[in-house]
Amino acid sequence: MPDVKGVVVAHCRLAEALVEAAEEITGISGALQALSNQSIGPADLKLHVAEAIGDGPAVVFVDLASGSCGFAANLAIRDCSSVAVVTGVSLPMLIDFLFHRDMELPELAGRLVDKGRLSMTGVSADPCADGA
């Protein structure tokens, strides 16, 4: 089975920045393709996503599930059986993808969603910490 392709679809230059950072951190290039909705309509974005996916297998990473990028990704994969869409793309997801793109698609997609969830933390300031 060939390595899974990665396609990052996001608003403005976010996809490009995420791909560049993931490649810089991992030293792995050429496995992710960045696509933007900037200055193109939904129909053209859908075509770009479909072209990037090719014959698959592929994971399409999207910034917002209900935005134009998410809609275009979901329309582009309607007739594809070997493509997963993962929303809420993050740098930890992309780094994990680059190191595990040889996995079977269903397991990989689940792993990436888990990685995204596990990489989120929250820190709140303790109002009593200032000695008051």
Side-chain angles (χ1 to χ4, degrees), residues 3 5 35 38 48 54 56 75 83 88 93 101-102 106 111 122-123:
D3 283 349
K5 299 174 194 175
L35 297 176
Q38 194 168 16
H48 289 299
L75 288 172
V83 180
M93 274 184 198
R101 65 189 189 281
D102 59 340
R111 178 188 177 94
V123 178

Side-chain angles (χ1 to χ4, degrees), residues 1-6 32 57-61 82 84 86 93-116:
M1 178 181 142
D3 283 349
V4 178
K5 299 174 194 175
L32 291 168
V59 174
V60 179
F61 296 92
S82 59
V86 176
M93 274 184 198
L94 296 179
I95 291 169
D96 198 72
F97 169 80
L98 288 172
F99 288 123
H100 296 96
R101 65 189 189 281
D102 59 340
M103 293 176 66
E104 294 290 327
L105 186 60
E107 291 79 18
L108 177 59
R111 178 188 177 94
L112 296 169
V113 170
D114 289 343
K115 178 56 98 175

Side-chain angles (χ1 to χ4, degrees), residues 36-118:
S36 172
N37 70 342
Q38 194 168 16
S39 301
I40 63 171
D44 287 335
L45 183 57
K46 176 191 166 234
L47 290 174
H48 289 299
V49 173
E51 286 175 8
I53 292 168
D55 294 332
V59 174
V60 179
F61 296 92
V62 178
D63 57 355
L64 299 171
S66 61
S68 60
C69 297
F71 292 137
N74 285 315
L75 288 172
I77 69 159
R78 276 195 175 159
D79 298 324
C80 301
S81 61
S82 59
V83 180
V85 174
V86 176
T87 61
V89 63
S90 67
L91 189 54
M93 274 184 198
L94 296 179
I95 291 169
D96 198 72
F97 169 80
L98 288 172
F99 288 123
H100 296 96
R101 65 189 189 281
D102 59 340
M103 293 176 66
E104 294 290 327
L105 186 60
E107 291 79 18
L108 177 59
R111 178 188 177 94
L112 296 169
V113 170
D114 289 343
K115 178 56 98 175
R117 285 187 185 124
L118 292 172

